[in-house]
Amino acid sequence: MKNVNKNEGQRGGFGTKIGFILAAAGSAVGLGNIWRFPYLAAKYGGGIFLLVYLIFAVTFGFALMLTEIAIGRKTGKSVIGAFKSVDKRFAPAGWLGAAIPALILPYYCVIGGWVLKYMTVFLTGKGSEIANKVYDAGADGGGLSFFEHFISLTGEPSLFFIIYVLIGAVVIFLGVEKGIEKISKFLMPVLLLLIIGIGIYTLTLDGAGEGLKYYVLPDFEGFTVSKLLKTIAAAMGQLFYSMSLAMGIMVTYGSYMRKNDSIEGSVRQIEIFDTIVAFLSGLIIVPAVFVFSGGDESALNAGPGLMFITLPKVFDSMPGGQIIGSIFFIIVALAALTSSISLMETVTAVVMEKFRISRAKSCIAVIIFTLVLGMVSVLGYSEWSDFTLFGMQFLDFFDFVANNLMMPIMAFLTCILVGYVVKTKFVEEEVMYGGKQFRSKLIYRVMIKYVCPVCMIVILITPFVTKI
Ligand code: PHE
């Protein structure tokens, strides 16, 4: 079928509908699904969190993603140009939208480097060696896990970080259709198959049933109103992050989308893909950790350390753990890679458009920027670990500013722009382009005008009011 996107030719674009869906799903499916979702679900009452999350996904997540893709496709520009052309006064929102991926990309690649390291450790058969190893912490005593020891170094984390950035850069150099679309079409189905495979395997382990119950059945015992509110805020924040919303990514990808493909249908499929991977990751991790810890729920609250510290121990104690661990870290590496590619593409598209330079030149500029800022995050855990910003290391600080401050503001501005300035008709027209139906129009309007802006304010103030 012929591509009718008006930018086709100069900017490149997705050649097929499934290519677009898988690339956007590739952006959405990442560390957020595999590492963050399971421990949040476990922490916030299992089934209750799942339910709240699902409700948000089909309402608020749906509305925001649809809006971003429609703005991108209608304007055919990257995030800065897109917001400016919708309404001049909203140009600063476009800049904010471009600053977010630029801030996230470097540290996301640092974490990607950690994942690469774990993948090589498992693939070279050293998984059990690192699982229980304790390193000397030096003068002040106490032992360090392999993970804590590894990130306190400078050389190796930098090396894996650089390799990771370069892998992503190759895909960006190749462009949208030959790079991003091709790799997503191949990687996403592989990822899904692998995750279903190990999901089935972990469920056959002794005692997994208990863990499964804990994961899917709502636990209302001791569930207070305040806990419910925290659960809601956590589910909203997670949805946001998981679907790569409010950072210009979906605007950029939307700008490469073909005019005659359905936006509504694509958004549904991207959401389903993202939610299935998150759910399956929980299905692997929660019962496995449950079995490993002998039913001790506190093991699941391990938070950030869950994937890098607890899981290797789980794999070590599991029959065939070395192989399962290798497959698991391959999955994580692939998922993280397609997410960082979307960040890199968003930043590259902005640089290309703003400075009117070629893809290759802007890609080089973005690589240099990423390497420099990423090194700050690497050093923040090693040489400069004494230095903190508001009590946070650099990486955590970047993460906090982007996710808890900039993203809700960006989403709030997007809702105001579409809900009240240009009105929802702006988006509806694009969704219905070519005579397509917009089945969820009513719910869409309610979401963008009323529910989403309020949710954004809740997300914005929650971390300051309560520590979740
Ligand atoms: N959506 C990604 C995930 O679930 C996270 C992400 C955030 C990706 C920002 C790109 C940009 O991990």
Side-chain angles (χ1 to χ4, degrees):
M1 206 184 297
K2 203 168 144 8
N3 193 322
V4 294
N5 191 327
K6 59 180 179 254
N7 297 294
E8 188 49 25
Q10 296 163 17
R11 300 178 79 230
F14 292 109
T16 57
K17 181 170 171 214
I18 190 71
F20 167 75
I21 292 171
L22 291 179
S27 168
V29 172
L31 296 169
N33 303 59
I34 301 177
W35 153 79
R36 207 162 176 262
F37 184 88
Y39 87 75
L40 284 180
K43 185 170 170 188
Y44 291 103
I48 301 174
F49 181 87
L50 295 182
L51 191 68
V52 173
Y53 184 87
L54 277 182
I55 295 173
F56 282 138
V58 295
T59 51
F60 141 104
F62 169 79
L64 274 174
M65 189 183 285
L66 185 111
T67 302
E68 293 192 18
I69 292 178
I71 290 181
R73 197 175 74 175
K74 189 157 182 162
T75 57
K77 296 204 168 98
S78 76
V79 62
I80 296 183
F83 273 76
K84 195 168 156 204
S85 64
V86 177
D87 187 301
K88 274 222 160 53
R89 290 166 299 171
F90 277 75
W95 283 97
L96 179 66
I100 299 171
L103 194 64
I104 296 181
L105 173 64
Y107 81 76
Y108 202 89
C109 290
V110 172
I111 303 179
W114 299 347
V115 175
L116 269 194
K117 168 71 187 176
Y118 270 70
M119 193 181 92
T120 40
V121 164
F122 271 88
L123 283 174
T124 50
K126 299 213 177 76
S128 30
E129 207 174 287
I130 63 151
N132 298 302
K133 200 159 176 175
V134 180
Y135 290 80
D136 196 359
D140 40 0
L144 291 183
S145 64
F146 171 79
F147 176 63
E148 290 160 317
H149 167 73
F150 174 70
I151 61 171
S152 74
L153 306 173
T154 305
E156 249 198 306
S158 318
L159 178 71
F160 280 96
F161 159 63
I162 294 170
I163 296 174
Y164 185 86
V165 172
L166 295 180
I167 297 174
V170 172
V171 179
I172 302 298
F173 259 115
L174 290 171
V176 180
E177 194 169 353
K178 287 206 209 84
I180 301 173
E181 180 165 350
K182 244 198 181 137
I183 196 153
S184 310
K185 265 184 167 169
F186 170 67
L187 289 186
M188 297 317 286
V190 170
L191 190 146
L192 199 59
L193 282 181
L194 289 177
I195 214 161
I196 291 175
I198 50 172
I200 293 173
Y201 175 76
T202 48
L203 286 181
T204 61
L205 297 177
D206 268 354
E210 278 306 301
L212 180 64
K213 266 196 213 148
Y214 177 78
Y215 180 50
V216 293
L217 295 181
D219 174 14
F220 287 108
E221 206 181 305
F223 211 81
T224 56
V225 175
S226 117
K227 200 153 181 219
L228 182 67
L229 285 178
K230 283 184 189 169
T231 304
I232 291 179
M236 245 165 10
Q238 169 63 16
L239 180 78
F240 216 30
Y241 183 78
S242 186
M243 306 235 163
S244 304
L245 298 171
M247 55 185 108
I249 292 180
M250 292 299 161
V251 176
T252 308
Y253 275 20
S255 75
Y256 302 136
M257 189 186 183
R258 298 187 311 181
K259 265 299 201 197
N260 40 7
D261 288 338
S262 154
I263 296 184
E264 192 178 15
S266 304
V267 171
R268 287 255 176 265
Q269 293 184 31
I270 298 163
E271 284 201 316
I272 291 173
F273 204 114
D274 189 67
T275 309
I276 286 181
V277 175
F279 179 76
L280 289 177
S281 306
L283 210 59
I284 293 168
I285 293 176
V286 177
V289 174
F290 214 79
V291 171
F292 164 76
S293 61
D296 176 11
E297 295 175 11
S298 62
L300 283 165
N301 285 339
L306 184 66
M307 188 166 90
F308 292 111
I309 302 172
T310 318
L311 269 185
K313 291 186 187 167
V314 174
F315 292 136
D316 185 40
S317 70
M318 202 187 243
Q322 190 70 37
I323 297 169
I324 301 296
S326 307
I327 300 174
F328 178 82
F329 280 105
I330 292 175
I331 294 175
V332 183
L334 300 183
L337 186 68
T338 45
S339 293
S340 24
I341 286 171
S342 72
L343 287 165
M344 209 180 255
E345 174 62 26
T346 303
V347 185
T348 306
V350 165
V351 175
M352 259 162 87
E353 195 175 290
K354 272 290 129 196
F355 299 98
R356 295 178 193 284
I357 52 176
S358 67
R359 171 170 285 272
K361 278 195 191 131
S362 35
C363 187
I364 290 171
V366 172
I367 294 172
I368 295 172
F369 167 83
T370 307
L371 291 177
V372 172
L373 207 60
M375 276 314 290
V376 173
S377 288
V378 172
L379 290 168
Y381 278 122
S382 57
E383 309 289 322
W384 301 346
S385 62
D386 292 335
F387 190 85
T388 56
L389 293 161
F390 302 100
M392 289 176 258
Q393 318 244 241
F394 284 106
L395 191 150
D396 306 78
F397 177 73
F398 292 145
D399 186 59
F400 178 81
V401 173
N403 292 307
N404 298 66
L405 301 177
M406 293 162 81
M407 281 161 58
I409 295 176
M410 177 68 191
F412 181 76
L413 293 174
T414 310
C415 294
I416 300 301
L417 173 65
V418 174
Y420 299 94
V421 181
V422 291
K423 305 276 168 16
T424 50
K425 222 176 75 202
F426 183 88
V427 165
E428 289 159 14
E429 274 168 13
E430 186 63 24
V431 174
M432 296 188 292
Y433 180 88
K436 291 212 172 43
Q437 279 204 335
F438 187 2
R439 277 188 245 130
S440 322
K441 186 149 74 181
L442 196 65
I443 192 166
Y444 172 74
R445 286 189 188 162
V446 176
M447 285 293 140
I448 287 298
K449 290 176 85 152
Y450 312 107
V451 182
C452 295
V454 173
C455 289
M456 288 312 122
I457 294 175
V458 173
I459 295 189
L460 204 52
I461 57 178
T462 308
F464 298 98
V465 193
T466 93
K467 256 206 132 3
I468 41 176

